[in-house]
Amino acid sequence: MFDITSKIISAIDCIALNINQVDALSPYIRDIQVALNTYPNLPKDFQGITLVKKWVDFLQGKSATDELSEQDLRQLKFDIENVMN
């Protein structure tokens, strides 16, 4: 659980530092996805897995040089904070 939490905090820190480039954010979101998928005690229907996958897919659909809008960043932060809670 610590691994998941630390990866979420790292992603939130990036957003707080106004990092909005797809190539900079993607590794942090993928790290959260990997940590969630490998944690043995999470139920398979845990909504956080679906939320993070949605963001991984969203980011993969963009170019590395694209930047997320303020609205997208706020939603991303909100969603990953909810995964942590």
Side-chain angles (χ1 to χ4, degrees), residues 32-67:
I32 296 169
Q33 183 182 39
V34 169
L36 287 171
N37 288 336
T38 58
Y39 188 75
N41 296 328
L42 281 180
K44 293 297 180 194
D45 62 345
F46 177 61
Q47 184 179 1
I49 293 171
T50 305
L51 265 177
V52 172
K53 183 183 180 334
K54 176 189 85 163
W55 280 104
V56 168
D57 293 344
F58 175 79
L59 294 171
Q60 285 178 340
K62 298 207 166 278
S63 173
T65 57
D66 286 345
E67 295 183 353

